Amino acid sequence: MAKPNGTATATYAPDAATAAFPAPGAAGSGFYEELRRLLRSRLILVHLLALAFFVLLAALSMVVPRSAEDSALRPAQGHWWRLAVPLAESLIGTLVLWRLSGMSLRSLRLWELIFFATHAAYNGHNRFEGLADLEGAARNALSLAIGFRGLASLQGFITLILAYGVLIPNTRRRSLLGVAALTAVPFAVIPAAAAVNSILREGHVLALAVQCVLILMFPAAIAVFAASRAAALQRRAFEAERRAAQVGQYALKQRLGEGGMGEVWLAEHRLLKRPCAVKFVRPELSADPRTAARFAREVQ
């Protein structure tokens, strides 16, 4: 079509060369694919971080000497086999996610659930064991020992909550549900530990619950806020990119080639849903009448 400034745009049906490209989908499928790739890369990252952490922790538990009297360190020292489950999940998850690049979003969400459920269960077990076994603590420092063990056992949950909210792409509702589930585990451990340890029933249950609230409220708030803001920014960026790829009634899909005059793109008509090719003249050539005449001959 001839333009007032002397330039022209030509569209034509694709031949066998362009037919090799798959039929383009709607904008929603494009956002789905972008979310799938982002979730996969973030899951690989959290699995690698967890794998490195547990490898170092297992090495530390084997090289640090453990005395029979030092019961406060018993959950971490001399028991490297306790790390087998989270270590195996981190290793297997890393290999599966790395090798299977075409996993669906549903499968990735399943690995997301497996990772955070496994590590939340591991941290919950450590918290239960630390609170349920206080026989070795000195009576004159019992409150200090309970508070220290309660605080130390929350470290893993802080890491999980922040990793879930900051690294995993989610909506506000989904992030809120995930963070709430992770936060509920250390609270649920308190009555379970109190049921088997009478010392905790002597006024320490409420203190441990308050400690959970004070320690976890800020990581939980940061995680939900970061996830909701990241989801909103990701949606805006995708919509802006999609609008930028619109030329009139044509949606640009992929660049097919480039020559001395300009570029040729595979496109799709928004209403007819038919593939076509759109050719662009370089800006520095569009004002040249000879270029316009040449392009007009191509159109004809």
Side-chain angles (χ1 to χ4, degrees), residues 25 55 63 132 161 170 177 186 285:
V55 167
V63 299
I161 291 171
N170 272 318
L177 292 176
L285 300 177

Side-chain angles (χ1 to χ4, degrees), residues 105-122:
L105 182 61
R106 183 175 182 180
S107 299
L108 292 173
R109 290 297 188 189
L110 179 60
W111 274 108
E112 170 192 328
L113 176 62
I114 293 174
F115 175 84
F116 285 97
T118 300
H119 291 268
Y122 168 77

Side-chain angles (χ1 to χ4, degrees), residues 31 34-35 38 42 165-166 168-175 223-241 243:
F31 182 76
E34 182 177 338
L35 178 63
L38 179 61
R42 296 293 176 82
V166 175
I168 302 301
N170 272 318
T171 61
R172 177 183 300 178
R173 179 181 179 183
R174 184 179 178 85
S175 63
V224 174
F225 175 78
S228 59
R229 289 298 297 168
L233 292 176
Q234 182 186 6
R235 171 63 70 174
R236 290 180 184 178
F238 177 80
E239 293 296 334
E241 182 180 355
R243 287 193 298 268

Side-chain angles (χ1 to χ4, degrees), residues 15 19 34 74 94 110 123 142 152 199 205 210 212 221 237 243 260 275:
D15 54 12
E34 182 177 338
R74 189 174 65 174
T94 301
L110 179 60
N123 288 304
L142 184 58
I199 299 177
V205 172
V210 173
C212 278
R243 287 193 298 268

